[in-house]
Amino acid sequence: MAIDLTALRAHFPSLDGGLAFFDGPGGTQTPRPVADAIAATLTGPLSNRGTVSPSELNAERAVTEFRAAYADLLGVPAGGVVHGRSATQLTYDFSRHLAKDWRAGDEIVLSRLDHDCNVRPWVQAAERAGVSMRWIEVDAGTAELDLGSFERALSSRTRLVAVTAASNVLGTKPPLRRIADLAHEAGALVYVDGVHYAAHHLVDVPALGADLFVCSPYKFLGPHCGVLGGAPELLASLRPDKLLPSPDTVPERFEFGTLPYEILAGATAAVDFLAALDPGGQGATRRERLTHSLGALHEHELVLRTRLEDGLRALGDAVTVHSVAADRTPTLLMSLEGRDAREAQYHLAARDVLAPAGSFYAYEPFTALKLQDPALRVGLAPYNTTEEVERLLDGLASFLGLTGATAPTRT
């Protein structure tokens, strides 16, 4: 399995200017086929969905193809694919849907590892419903979830466990299946923030044990929107507030207002682009091609991550890398001894290397681990190259004053 980086990068007009983008965890660059799909759909002809005119059929096709694409990407039925404006919006929506059935005395379990998208909506819903919150803590030494605290938090009163599949700042990938199995034994639903995970791994929602799984196509080369996947049977059991004339079928009952057909087409094109990352990948189905391509992507990102970690170690005590979990994505969070990470961001940007500093909506991890805010985050994406990693390391060495003999050894 291999990715032809030269051919891949030729699809990204934003790479022509020489910028090295290490800000993928906040959103990737967009390939031209995605933009073309958006433009072609938007310029139509296009109307509201229907079965009569070509413009109506184009809208219907955009919705149908979107659901089929994300069924393939997530490993769920097409009838279990819900579009939303963002993962945050979807989580807020489903926190309200699920909380309708919560009662005083019930409990939910949240994670200190999670982006606030998968924390605050549940906290606020629990407060309104009079439901108690329990927490899965983070081990400061390993940057991993403390499963002992999770087992202590579970009870027969637990209604929901909300947990990430991968941390957007530390890269930590919790043992999701084990967490889900324990939650299901207690009778709880499992809501998974897969926004960061889906950018780096083939998703199989049932295999992960998730009941509901949310992701964001703009984190993996698509347009800005959110997607939720789950079993249609579970979705059919939830009764959202909705307009009386709007559809009551699943999944349409969870999609409020007219869908953005052009965005759906762009999101579909992103899945097709991912499926073609490995041009030598074989497969009769899109799911099979995704398996090959995302396997090749994992190998590519692992090579770059290894080089990046080696180079950071060569910088010595000047850099503290907080991303140390045994199982993690190619995203590294670091502090710079005695230096402001924001200044490092500006220093790198002046050298056309984009690596942002901040806390990235990861309020709970930063608080639990007492991380310095801002910290510098470096995330790898499909289009990153070894040369770009070297530029990043050179820029950090320059910022820290570690040039010459103390600079990282190049391989």
Side-chain angles (χ1 to χ4, degrees):
M1 296 185 290
I3 294 175
D4 183 339
L5 268 184
T6 301
L8 172 69
R9 288 171 61 87
H11 291 290
F12 291 83
S14 60
L15 302 182
D16 293 343
L19 291 172
F21 295 92
F22 292 99
D23 58 347
T28 52
Q29 300 304 298
T30 306
R32 192 177 299 279
V34 171
D36 289 345
I38 292 171
T41 302
L42 192 59
T43 55
L46 187 66
S47 302
N48 281 336
R49 296 166 68 182
T51 59
V52 179
S53 71
S55 56
E56 292 174 337
L57 291 169
N58 282 343
E60 187 66 37
R61 184 180 306 109
V63 176
T64 301
E65 291 181 352
F66 165 79
R67 298 206 201 282
Y70 282 83
D72 288 343
L73 185 72
L74 302 180
V76 299
V81 173
V82 181
H83 167 270
R85 189 185 67 80
S86 67
T88 299
Q89 175 252 303
L90 284 164
T91 305
Y92 263 114
D93 284 349
F94 276 82
S95 72
R96 290 187 286 267
H97 304 334
L98 292 170
K100 284 184 173 185
D101 294 327
W102 295 349
R103 300 292 179 264
D106 289 342
E107 298 176 349
I108 63 172
V109 177
L110 308 176
S111 155
R112 299 286 188 197
L113 187 63
D114 272 69
H115 184 286
D116 216 50
C117 159
N118 204 29
V119 175
R120 219 54 49 192
W122 304 111
V123 168
Q124 292 161 0
E127 289 172 344
R128 287 192 298 269
V131 167
S132 300
M133 290 167 287
R134 308 289 296 276
W135 291 90
I136 315 174
E137 303 296 339
V138 182
D139 186 303
T142 64
E144 297 178 350
L145 286 179
D146 177 356
L147 294 188
S149 70
F150 174 55
E151 293 178 6
R152 292 189 294 273
L154 278 175
S155 76
S156 60
R157 298 184 298 276
T158 305
R159 302 299 305 276
L160 173 88
V161 174
V163 65
T164 187
S167 166
N168 75 308
V169 288
L170 297 168
T172 302
K173 294 188 292 182
L176 198 55
R177 183 65 204 221
R178 181 178 175 190
I179 291 171
D181 287 346
L182 290 170
H184 291 150
E185 288 175 11
L189 287 175
V190 178
Y191 187 98
V192 174
D193 171 4
V195 170
H196 189 62
Y197 182 92
H200 302 286
H201 296 281
L202 182 72
V203 178
D204 188 329
V205 171
L208 291 171
D211 295 299
L212 298 169
F213 182 101
V214 68
C215 65
S216 299
Y218 74 98
K219 306 292 180 134
F220 45 86
L221 315 181
H224 286 79
C225 65
V227 180
L228 180 139
E233 297 79 13
L234 172 60
L235 294 176
S237 71
L238 305 179
R239 306 298 306 183
D241 294 329
K242 55 176 284 297
L243 302 181
L244 186 61
S246 64
D248 196 37
T249 53
V250 171
E252 282 84 357
R253 69 167 62 152
F254 301 102
E255 297 166 334
F256 308 127
T258 302
L259 288 169
Y261 306 120
E262 67 280 7
I263 297 299
L264 300 187
T268 299
V271 174
D272 287 331
F273 192 89
L274 286 173
L277 283 180
D278 176 11
Q282 301 299 311
T285 69
R286 179 164 48 196
R287 178 72 178 181
E288 291 170 344
R289 294 192 296 276
L290 283 164
T291 300
H292 283 284
S293 287
L294 293 177
L297 173 62
H298 176 71
E299 292 180 5
H300 167 64
E301 291 181 335
L302 182 59
V303 169
L304 295 186
R305 191 191 93 185
T306 300
R307 175 65 198 112
L308 177 58
E309 289 173 333
D310 288 345
L312 292 174
R313 277 192 292 271
L315 295 174
D317 295 339
V319 178
T320 299
V321 177
H322 304 290
S323 302
V324 295
D327 191 10
R328 60 188 186 276
T329 67
T331 293
L332 301 179
L333 187 76
M334 64 195 78
S335 300
L336 309 175
E337 184 64 30
R339 305 297 298 270
D340 188 329
R342 194 79 68 188
E343 293 180 0
Q345 175 184 350
Y346 299 152
H347 182 89
L348 292 170
R351 288 154 178 77
D352 288 340
V353 176
L354 301 188
S359 57
F360 311 103
Y361 284 69
Y363 175 83
E364 296 297 337
F366 266 73
T367 301
L369 299 180
K370 297 181 173 60
L371 297 173
Q372 180 181 337
D373 182 6
L376 193 71
R377 182 176 68 179
V378 174
L380 299 173
Y383 41 72
N384 285 130
T385 68
T386 301
E387 183 273 336
E388 289 177 336
V389 170
E390 301 299 343
R391 285 168 56 194
L392 170 67
L393 291 170
D394 284 336
L396 282 174
S398 170
F399 174 73
L400 295 167
L402 299 176
T403 56
T406 56
T409 301
R410 298 292 175 243
T411 57

